[in-house]
Amino acid sequence: TAEERRREEAPAVSQRVRLVCADPRSYRAKERFPLVVAPHNALALMATMDDLDAMLSTVRLHLAPRGTLLFDVLNPVPQRFPVPDEREDAWHPLEGVEPPRPVFAPHLRERVRGPDGILDGIRRLRLRHFTAAEIDRALEEAGFVATERYGDFDRRPFDAALSTQVVIAAVVDG
């Protein structure tokens, strides 16, 4: 879809855009950029902290000195459990489950085409939600520091209870 839209633009615009389909954990290019944007909760496709570390290392490799990384991620949904009954014999349905799992785990569906062009089926891509502390640790590990953090794109102050965090990160030694 993006390639089709690029082709519809005037040559002066379309020539400035190059679309690359690659794994963000291991992509390598010679270019360095002043800004990398990871929109629409793109970091959530990183299933583990190791995957997130690899992606951020790739971003760091492709940023110019004093480069900036801008991204948004969904905050984990706080667990909302009923207040336990004070009675000694009270029982909670999640008793003994550590850690409690959400009833619904958001996911995306990716249709995979085989070499013959036929759909091979659907692969579910689970989305991972990262806390602000996990994001900060991963940024630090990759050589970034979060310079600004907001609760939405209108620059509402960050609050972990909000659904989104928008982060602007700078290269530490840039």
Side-chain angles (χ1 to χ4, degrees):
T1 301
E3 187 61 46
E4 288 173 12
R5 287 188 64 191
R6 186 187 70 81
R7 282 193 298 259
E8 293 171 1
E9 294 293 333
V13 173
S14 68
Q15 291 172 359
R16 294 190 324 229
V17 175
R18 180 174 54 113
L19 300 170
V20 177
C21 181
D23 186 334
R25 297 168 297 178
S26 59
Y27 177 72
R28 298 294 182 262
K30 292 180 183 176
E31 297 96 351
R32 300 295 175 257
F33 306 95
L35 173 67
V36 171
V37 180
H40 302 290
N41 200 28
L43 275 65
L45 291 172
M46 302 300 105
T48 66
M49 289 303 295
D50 288 340
D51 291 336
L52 180 61
D53 290 344
M55 179 184 179
L56 291 175
S57 293
T58 297
V59 169
R60 175 68 177 87
L61 179 69
H62 290 89
L63 275 173
R66 292 197 247 173
T68 301
L69 168 62
L70 170 63
F71 62 91
D72 64 292
V73 293
L74 294 176
N75 289 318
V77 177
Q79 299 294 332
R80 291 188 175 94
F81 300 118
V83 176
D85 192 330
E86 295 297 324
R87 295 175 301 145
E88 263 187 53
D89 61 344
W91 174 82
H92 187 279
L94 294 175
E95 186 177 312
V97 177
E98 288 294 329
R101 292 188 208 151
V103 174
F104 174 74
H107 65 275
L108 298 174
R109 292 182 181 164
E110 176 187 44
R111 293 185 179 171
V112 182
R113 289 198 185 273
D116 55 4
I118 298 174
L119 288 176
D120 287 340
I122 295 177
R123 181 175 72 186
R124 292 177 192 254
L125 302 173
R126 293 206 182 269
L127 297 177
R128 166 83 190 259
H129 294 189
F130 295 100
T131 65
E134 289 173 318
I135 292 291
D136 287 344
R137 192 228 30 96
L139 287 170
E140 182 180 345
E141 185 79 20
F144 290 98
V145 63
T147 58
E148 298 175 60
R149 178 176 276 120
Y150 301 105
D152 61 23
F153 289 100
D154 292 326
R155 295 186 175 183
R156 173 195 262 180
F158 172 73
D159 181 342
L162 297 174
S163 63
T164 303
Q165 59 178 300
V166 177
V167 179
I168 299 172
V171 175
V172 173
D173 296 324

